[in-house]
Amino acid sequence: DKIGVLIAEGEIVGTKGGDGSIGSDDFVKELKKLRDNKSVKAIVLRIDSPGGSSLASEIMWREILLAKKVKPVIASMSNYAASGGYYMAMGADAIVAQPTTITGSIGVFGVLFNAEKFFKNKLGITFDGTKTAEFADLGDYSRPLSPTEKNIIQQSVNQIYKDFTNKVAAGRNLPIQKVLNIAGGRVWSGSDALR
């Protein structure tokens, strides 16, 4: 009988990982191997991640829930288990953190930039185009966002945050209001997070 240890180290990205990143496809494949291996009686996820892609975090969290139906899954937080790193941990049966672990960061943000002036003033490039629907070019960095586009993106960020906090509440058996009081993107040391 064995205990499987899966190390999740780096920024969370979709599909394939590499040096300094955790790819959701790679993680799912390795966790599934441990889940299906009859000689592995429990799984320890050693997490050292500041977070990353919300979709990739969601995919890995779901796989952790599937694994925990078959055998115990313990999250062991290293230096960082924040944002997406915490997202992974919250699905485990138990979480262990070092006193100096940086964790939490239960929050979501979106960043889009407008490079219109840079292209025009620095490179002498302007853009023109056609589109088949009002929001076909949503997120185009060659122009400012309209108020409606800003609202669409903000609603998406709000929905991801709501899903994240609801999963924290369910995964850690906490009332949603308590989660909302400690979330908001705040980070905690391992000692403070335990409290």
Side-chain angles (χ1 to χ4, degrees):
D1 292 347
K2 303 173 197 168
I3 294 174
V5 178
L6 180 54
I7 297 172
E9 186 176 87
E11 182 182 350
I12 297 170
V13 298
T15 65
K16 299 285 180 194
D19 287 344
S21 65
I22 307 163
S24 56
D25 287 358
D26 296 335
F27 180 89
V28 165
K29 183 173 79 173
E30 294 303 318
L31 187 56
K32 189 173 182 331
K33 282 183 201 173
L34 292 172
R35 183 182 78 206
D36 294 341
N37 186 331
K38 301 288 187 217
S39 68
V40 172
K41 301 304 180 189
I43 300 168
V44 174
L45 301 175
R46 182 65 171 165
I47 301 168
D48 192 2
S49 174
S53 163
S54 61
L55 177 58
S57 300
E58 171 80 16
I59 290 167
M60 294 187 299
W61 169 81
R62 183 183 174 280
E63 194 64 28
I64 291 164
L65 293 186
L66 294 174
K68 120 175 167 174
K69 288 180 180 179
V70 178
K71 55 191 73 172
V73 178
I74 309 303
S76 171
M77 296 178 170
S78 183
N79 296 321
Y80 303 97
S83 192
Y86 181 80
Y87 206 115
M88 294 166 61
M90 72 181 178
D93 291 298
I95 298 173
V96 179
Q98 299 170 170
T100 57
T101 296
I102 302 298
T103 189
S105 191
I106 301 165
V108 180
F109 68 92
V111 177
L112 292 173
F113 63 96
N114 175 7
E116 180 181 36
K117 288 180 182 176
F118 169 76
F119 282 116
K120 184 177 179 182
N121 299 337
K122 298 289 183 185
L123 303 177
I125 299 172
T126 58
F127 293 85
D128 196 6
T130 60
K131 54 187 178 179
T132 57
E134 183 180 359
F135 303 115
D137 62 345
L138 179 67
D140 183 348
Y141 56 85
S142 68
R143 62 171 182 77
L145 293 170
S146 72
T148 303
E149 290 172 319
K150 287 179 184 177
N151 188 45
I152 289 169
I153 292 168
Q154 186 61 55
Q155 286 180 15
S156 175
V157 167
N158 293 349
Q159 185 59 52
I160 294 168
Y161 182 69
K162 182 178 178 183
D163 290 345
F164 193 174
T165 53
N166 283 332
K167 286 174 180 161
V168 171
R172 306 320 318 151
N173 298 315
L174 296 169
I176 188 64
Q177 192 54 53
K178 182 166 186 172
V179 172
L180 294 174
N181 290 342
I182 62 173
R186 292 179 196 86
V187 293
W188 307 93
S189 69
S191 299
D192 289 339
L194 176 61
R195 192 167 43 256

